[in-house]
Amino acid sequence: MNKKKRKMVASPGPGYEGRFELAKTRVDNPYDDPKNPKVEVAINKRHDLLIHWYARKTIDDAQYQAGSRLQAIWHNAGIGAPGAIQYDRDTVDVSGQTDPIPDRIIAATDELRAIAAHLGKADYRWLVSLICEGTKISDFSNQEKERKYISKRARDALGYLADYWRATGKASQPIRSEYCSHAA
């Protein structure tokens, strides 16, 4: 039986507004196969501004690592990511008191405060909006000159973050953080 390889067709989904650019990347194998620790998956480079800039060589390795670490810290802080609620299950009475704010959230929030102090309010806000929240640069301004300015400031802020975490680029080790579940 001949199996034909299915070709992935670029069809934009909701939220992408026609911006779709197919690329391949390697990720950890979700099945924990020791023979294949990494698997190749298809991604949309236009979905994540950080990946898009890195694929276009607009930012270097150190800036990409710094942006990835910022995203991981942001997600660990629990900002914008509520926990899942299973409405189809019965509620369970939890008689013991649980800590409403885990230590990892407090530590990640403290690190975000330190990052904000290092970058300054404007650069931190632009970077978080663009890299972590997925806001488009065109949402800030309709004028090309202003969009280029915001984009340059965000890339410069990534450079300052790379310096802050002492990332030097291709030859350096990936940035590691106790607040991140993975190396950036």
Side-chain angles (χ1 to χ4, degrees):
M1 186 174 185
N2 251 348
K3 286 187 177 182
K4 289 184 179 180
K5 264 193 168 181
R6 292 181 67 181
K7 187 174 182 182
M8 186 172 220
V9 179
S11 60
Y16 295 116
E17 298 166 0
R19 301 174 308 147
F20 192 90
E21 192 173 338
L22 190 63
K24 292 181 181 179
T25 188
R26 295 187 62 76
V27 297
D28 291 333
N29 191 338
Y31 300 111
D32 296 326
D33 183 6
K35 293 179 184 175
N36 297 324
K38 299 275 187 183
V39 293
E40 194 170 84
V41 296
I43 61 167
N44 179 3
K45 288 192 290 189
R46 301 288 290 232
H47 173 68
D48 185 353
L49 182 63
L50 189 65
I51 293 171
H52 181 70
W53 278 348
Y54 186 66
R56 298 249 186 253
K57 307 279 188 235
T58 306
I59 59 174
D60 62 14
D61 293 331
Q63 290 170 312
Y64 177 75
Q65 289 177 9
S68 295
R69 180 175 175 186
L70 177 65
Q71 286 175 333
I73 293 168
W74 179 262
H75 289 295
N76 277 335
I79 300 169
I85 299 173
Q86 296 179 336
Y87 293 104
D88 61 339
R89 308 256 176 160
D90 293 333
T91 57
V92 178
D93 182 24
V94 181
S95 55
Q97 282 285 49
T98 59
D99 186 12
I101 303 175
D103 290 339
R104 72 169 179 82
I105 291 178
I106 294 170
T109 304
D110 288 344
E111 178 128 359
L112 287 175
R113 267 194 218 104
I115 293 167
H118 180 74
L119 293 178
K121 285 182 182 180
D123 287 342
Y124 174 76
R125 189 65 224 147
W126 280 338
L127 202 57
V128 165
S129 291
L130 294 171
I131 302 300
C132 301
E133 296 173 347
T135 307
K136 295 181 298 201
I137 295 174
S138 60
D139 290 345
F140 288 105
S141 175
N142 291 332
Q143 295 182 358
E144 181 69 22
K145 189 175 184 178
E146 290 175 2
R147 286 195 307 259
K148 284 183 178 181
Y149 173 75
I150 292 168
S151 178
K152 178 163 181 4
R153 287 285 298 263
R155 287 192 307 270
D156 288 346
L158 284 173
Y160 297 143
L161 270 183
D163 290 342
Y164 177 70
W165 285 315
R166 292 176 179 77
T168 56
K170 215 177 239 184
S172 72
Q173 292 293 323
I175 300 173
R176 298 193 186 279
S177 171
E178 60 192 89
Y179 314 113
C180 301
S181 58
H182 66 282

